[in-house]
């Protein structure tokens, strides 16, 4: 299972992520870095899609990032691993 297959078609709020057992992640299109983010840093009624324009990659500084709702792997129950 790839990380991109965990991206949901819907656009949940930060509050809805926690209620649906998903996590907020950031994926950099420039360097490929993936990290989980602390959802409490953002307003609970903010949509995940609106965060992409506000964030940048902490590793390379690129603004070409995507905020995504990440789900557990349905086969084993583990979260996808962070990577640089």
């Amino acid at each position: 299972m790839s990380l991109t297959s965990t991206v949901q078609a819907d656009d949940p709020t930060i509050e809805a992520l926690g209620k649906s057992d998903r996590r907020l992640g950031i994926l950099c299109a420039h360097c490929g870095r993936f990290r989980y983010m602390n959802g409490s840093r953002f307003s609970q009624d903010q949509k995940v899609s609106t965060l992409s324009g506000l964030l940048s990659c902490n590793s390379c500084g690129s603004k070409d990032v995507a905020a995504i709702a990440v789900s557990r792997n349905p086969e084993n129950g583990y979260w996808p691993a962070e990577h640089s």
Side-chain angles (χ1 to χ4, degrees):
M1 168 178 258
S2 70
L3 177 64
T4 54
S5 68
T6 66
V7 177
Q8 301 294 318
D10 63 339
D11 187 19
T13 62
I14 299 298
E15 181 179 26
L17 283 178
K19 290 181 178 179
S20 62
D21 194 32
R22 292 185 283 177
R23 293 173 71 183
L24 177 63
I26 182 172
L27 181 60
C28 180
H30 185 259
C31 70
R33 183 176 197 227
F34 168 70
R35 292 288 185 256
Y36 290 106
M37 299 191 65
N38 186 342
S40 66
R41 294 180 46 208
F42 306 102
S43 170
Q44 294 298 297
D45 62 347
Q46 192 160 18
K47 298 275 191 172
V48 170
S49 64
T50 62
L51 294 176
S52 295
L54 305 174
L55 302 172
S56 61
C57 179
N58 197 32
S59 183
C60 71
S62 174
K63 298 288 280 176
D64 189 12
V65 298
I68 55 175
V70 183
S71 300
R72 293 177 186 266
N73 182 320
E75 295 173 13
N76 61 23
Y78 291 114
W79 293 102
E82 294 182 320
H83 55 82
S84 294

